[in-house]
Amino acid sequence: MKRWIAQAIATFFYLGYSPLAPGTAGTLGAIALFYLLSHFSTLVYILFFLVFTIISIWASAEAECIFGKTDPGQVVADEVCGYLVTMFLIPPSLRNIVMGFLLFRFFDIIKPPPAGRAERLSSGFGVVIDDVIAGVYSNVILQVLIRLFG
């Protein structure tokens, strides 16, 4: 049962098994979660993010054992965490959601410092924290763009 739960969470309910761009598929799944969470208070958003991130770190570590490799491609819970950071305090408009998606995927792929270094941290923590850092970069830029261009 523990293995099944870890696998379901790590793959964000099996989106990570997408044959094409599983990280992108996981981020697309995160959009739906963000939209749902955007209807709740900031406190609920923060609490959900913190709990989900902690669970994702555990699930990602378990998934490394399940799949027998470090940061397996099927693990996309980290993309969900990163996208939730990207969209923190961002109004849920179609424009903002798309810009957040593009910014997050860009920073998740290029992994500017310290994200690239964080990726090498041990186990599930390293899997998740680099995407959280990419989410911080994306959020800052998105906040600036929204303020500049409305």
Side-chain angles (χ1 to χ4, degrees):
M1 181 69 144
K2 176 178 131 179
R3 179 183 170 107
W4 177 81
I5 291 169
Q7 193 170 359
I9 292 168
T11 63
F12 198 59
F13 307 101
Y14 304 99
L15 288 175
Y17 287 106
S18 171
L20 295 169
T24 299
T27 307
L28 289 171
I31 289 173
L33 179 58
F34 161 71
Y35 190 75
L36 173 70
L37 287 171
S38 71
H39 291 85
F40 293 93
S41 70
T42 302
L43 179 61
V44 169
Y45 192 101
I46 292 168
L47 290 174
F48 180 88
F49 167 75
L50 291 173
V51 169
F52 187 77
T53 299
I54 291 166
I55 291 170
S56 294
I57 291 168
W58 165 79
S60 297
E62 291 293 319
E64 286 185 328
C65 295
I66 292 166
F67 295 111
K69 58 182 171 178
T70 303
D71 199 0
Q74 298 92 332
V75 173
V76 296
D78 52 335
E79 272 80 11
V80 176
C81 294
Y83 188 74
L84 290 178
V85 171
T86 297
M87 299 307 292
F88 181 63
L89 298 177
I90 302 292
S93 70
L94 179 59
R95 181 191 70 165
N96 293 345
I97 288 169
V98 171
M99 285 193 322
F101 173 83
L102 294 173
L103 283 167
F104 173 68
R105 291 307 299 146
F106 174 76
F107 284 112
D108 185 32
I109 291 166
I110 66 164
K111 300 197 185 310
R117 189 173 302 131
E119 184 179 40
R120 295 188 294 269
L121 295 172
S122 67
S123 196
F125 186 75
V127 171
V128 174
I129 198 66
D130 70 301
D131 288 55
V132 169
I133 294 168
V136 170
Y137 293 147
S138 303
N139 181 277
V140 168
I141 290 174
L142 192 51
Q143 294 279 0
V144 169
L145 289 173
I146 289 169
R147 280 163 181 71
L148 287 175
F149 302 108

